[in-house]
Amino acid sequence: MVNNFDRIFVERLGKIERTNAAFADNAHLLRIIDKIVSTVGRRVDESSPMVDARLPDGSRVNAIIPPLSLKGPTLTIRKFSRDPYTMNDLISFGTITPKAGQFLAACVKGKLNILISGGTGTGKTTTLNAMSAFVPGDERIVTIEDAAELQLQQEHVITLESRPPNIEGQGEIRIRELVRNALRMRPDRIIVGEVRGPETLDMLQAMNTGHEGSLTTIHANSPRDALSRLETLVMTAGVELPHRAIREQIASAFDLLVQISRLVDGTRRITHITEVLRMESDVITLQDIFVAKPPDEETSSLSRSSRLLAPLACTGLKPHFLEKMSANGVALPPAFFEQDEGGLRPAFAAASYGGFK
């Protein structure tokens, strides 16, 4: 985070700290910003003083310059690791338990439509990347993003990126048009980096017209908030739809919600894995499959990361989408969803997880 040419901060282990590094002056910082954004066909000047771009490794870059930024050019880079994090990495960080990781991997293989929700900087894109590794290699995937940052390892991937308007205000291509275009490209799965506007409606339509196994992320603080935010975003499309019709579309489009939170000590944790059920009267029913609860006295002594939140535990409820998964060739044993006793079972140690692939 470059607040000014001589004030640079970095985030280490979830905490922000100042560094000794500095640019020569504001003109030097501006040249660096210009160099970064020009390589991806974007520009930053007085007529468009805000810009979103990316580095070659997929890291996100945001820059804002005077007159909008009063003290001088401001640069924020959200760095990605050189090797994308895998599900095993998330397990070793304590973000997810091995059993829940195994469940999510099976859900991706079983072609469920999954919505990942969380606040800013909680690791939604990282989780999306880790989950996308379980998409079979013979499926055609189309990814659509504002700034292309997903690093999919499959060979049959088409990456699309939206485009801002040019200096005359012409030529803007929004995510909405790209989603619509992707439907004509015969995709098996559509992965939208994040829904934050009218493209939500097109994404719902895609999921309801046979593009099973699609993944996307949304900003929200709880699974219930994610659904109400989806509803609000669909309304921004300018289509006069009754609330019930929108909710029915959402309930039939998504099968699973994955909620991520960032705790006060800087750790990122998956707190809910929730099934989206049918409509009951005017409300979408949700059912928690895995949930991380605040710890009681007994479990709080287990580990440092469980002081704020106990590990993800199975609620003992069986999801209704098991038939859909088995129709796609993925079967989970009936005993898989038995309620966890006292946190993790030793049978699901992180070491044994690696063989799941």
Side-chain angles (χ1 to χ4, degrees):
M1 289 157 276
V2 184
N3 294 0
N4 208 338
F5 73 92
D6 57 349
R7 293 176 69 83
I8 301 177
F9 295 82
V10 296
E11 181 185 316
R12 285 198 183 100
L13 303 174
K15 299 286 185 188
I16 293 175
E17 54 189 69
R18 189 170 173 179
T19 68
N20 296 323
F23 291 92
D25 52 25
N26 279 336
H28 179 209
L29 174 55
L30 203 53
R31 282 200 306 278
I32 298 294
I33 292 173
D34 203 42
K35 200 170 181 182
I36 291 172
V37 300
S38 60
T39 56
V40 289
R42 309 274 165 117
R43 62 192 176 79
V44 60
D45 50 40
E46 279 203 8
S47 62
S48 64
M50 292 186 294
V51 68
D52 276 315
R54 66 175 192 279
L55 292 174
D57 66 353
S59 299
R60 283 187 228 182
V61 177
N62 175 275
I64 184 163
I65 64 166
L68 300 187
S69 167
L70 300 183
K71 289 187 176 175
T74 302
L75 176 68
T76 313
I77 299 178
R78 293 166 77 177
K79 198 87 185 72
F80 275 11
S81 82
R82 218 169 259 119
D83 303 315
Y85 286 139
T86 63
M87 193 65 86
N88 283 338
D89 291 326
L90 297 188
I91 289 169
S92 61
F93 297 150
T95 301
I96 189 171
T97 59
K99 186 175 180 180
Q102 188 176 359
F103 175 66
L104 284 185
C107 289
V108 173
K109 286 182 179 173
K111 287 200 163 190
L112 298 187
N113 291 327
I114 301 173
L115 177 67
I116 300 168
S117 77
T120 306
T122 50
K124 297 187 295 296
T125 308
T126 305
T127 308
L128 182 60
N129 244 335
M131 286 168 65
S132 67
F134 297 102
V135 177
D138 57 351
E139 293 189 18
R140 182 174 168 86
I141 309 164
V142 178
T143 72
I144 301 166
E145 297 165 90
D146 259 341
E149 58 200 359
L150 289 174
Q151 300 160 293
L152 270 70
Q153 307 303 311
Q154 289 85 344
E155 58 173 347
H156 212 81
V157 178
I158 297 107
T159 307
L160 306 180
E161 184 179 66
S162 64
R163 188 175 76 180
N166 63 12
I167 202 158
E168 289 90 25
Q170 306 291 315
E172 181 184 16
I173 307 288
R174 295 173 304 169
I175 289 185
R176 183 165 196 189
E177 283 90 59
L178 292 177
V179 171
R180 220 172 284 169
N181 184 72
L183 298 178
R184 303 181 187 118
M185 297 170 71
R186 202 224 155 270
D188 287 309
R189 298 182 191 234
I190 298 174
I191 299 180
V192 176
E194 185 187 330
V195 288
R196 54 162 81 87
E199 67 273 3
T200 313
L201 178 60
D202 302 285
M203 187 71 195
L204 287 181
Q205 299 302 328
M207 289 178 171
N208 279 323
T209 52
H211 296 89
E212 301 291 343
S214 298
L215 304 162
T216 188
T217 72
I218 193 170
H219 279 274
N221 296 325
S222 73
R224 179 64 63 192
D225 285 354
L227 294 184
S228 61
R229 188 141 192 276
L230 273 175
E231 200 177 324
T232 311
L233 291 176
V234 168
M235 290 177 192
T236 63
V239 183
E240 291 294 324
L241 283 173
H243 288 274
R244 186 179 171 84
I246 296 172
R247 283 177 195 155
E248 279 175 347
Q249 290 274 305
I250 292 170
S252 61
F254 287 105
D255 299 300
L256 198 68
L257 279 171
V258 179
Q259 178 68 39
I260 313 176
S261 292
R262 184 170 172 163
L263 308 183
V264 287
D265 62 353
T267 55
R268 296 163 170 91
R269 295 281 301 277
I270 291 178
T271 57
H272 295 79
I273 299 176
T274 304
E275 181 186 10
V276 182
L277 292 168
R278 64 205 168 275
M279 292 274 294
E280 278 187 20
S281 69
D282 275 357
V283 182
I284 301 172
T285 324
L286 295 178
Q287 172 177 289
D288 288 337
I289 310 296
F290 287 84
V291 66
K293 294 183 177 137
D296 47 33
E297 275 75 38
E298 297 158 26
T299 55
S300 58
S301 59
L302 280 176
S303 72
R304 186 177 57 82
S305 66
S306 64
R307 275 183 304 191
L308 298 166
L309 211 58
L312 266 179
C314 207
T315 57
L317 298 169
K318 220 180 229 184
H320 292 65
F321 48 63
L322 291 177
E323 283 180 19
K324 180 178 176 180
M325 286 170 66
S326 58
N328 289 309
V330 176
L332 285 169
F336 188 87
F337 297 101
E338 286 175 9
Q339 194 162 2
D340 293 346
E341 297 297 328
L344 267 181
R345 298 181 181 184
F348 288 100
S352 69
Y353 175 80
F356 177 72
K357 287 182 199 168

